[in-house]
Amino acid sequence: MADLVRVEQVVKRYFAPGWPRRESFRLEAQFAVESPCVIGLLGANGSGKTTLFELLTGSNLPSAGRVLIDGMDIHRVRYRERDRLAIH
């Protein structure tokens, strides 16, 4: 049985304006959720909680890695079809 949610080496990078480009924020995540459950996420302002949620729902593209929901890459599923995966 496949994991319900699998985050595989996801990286999201944001860069400060100007030249040369300077990375201002980096989020890295890797984990799996095997069955339905409630998970809490705590962190200070600006620590990446919303960014991680957006990566999980497909509304923000990762710089690297992928997010699988029930074995499907959420970033390759059309927005209007994500409700079948209970992701909005």
Side-chain angles (χ1 to χ4, degrees):
M1 183 171 156
D3 293 321
L4 187 61
V5 177
R6 177 172 288 280
V7 176
E8 296 180 341
Q9 300 176 344
V10 167
V11 176
K12 182 63 181 183
R13 294 180 187 96
Y14 291 101
F15 295 90
W19 191 259
R21 287 183 67 179
R22 182 179 54 85
E23 191 175 279
S24 62
F25 177 79
R26 178 189 193 100
L27 178 133
E28 295 184 27
Q30 180 166 316
F31 62 90
V33 177
E34 296 176 358
S35 60
C37 61
V38 176
I39 298 174
L41 185 61
L42 300 172
N45 291 344
S47 63
K49 299 177 300 290
T50 300
T51 299
L52 180 59
F53 180 77
E54 291 172 348
L55 290 165
L56 289 171
T57 60
S59 62
N60 196 341
L61 289 171
S63 303
R66 63 187 187 156
V67 176
L68 302 174
I69 307 294
D70 202 22
M72 299 175 65
D73 186 335
I74 192 65
H75 296 98
R76 295 179 182 257
V77 175
R78 290 188 176 129
Y79 179 79
R80 66 177 182 263
E81 295 173 357
R82 291 181 190 160
D83 60 343
R84 291 188 219 172
L85 299 173
I87 299 292
H88 297 280

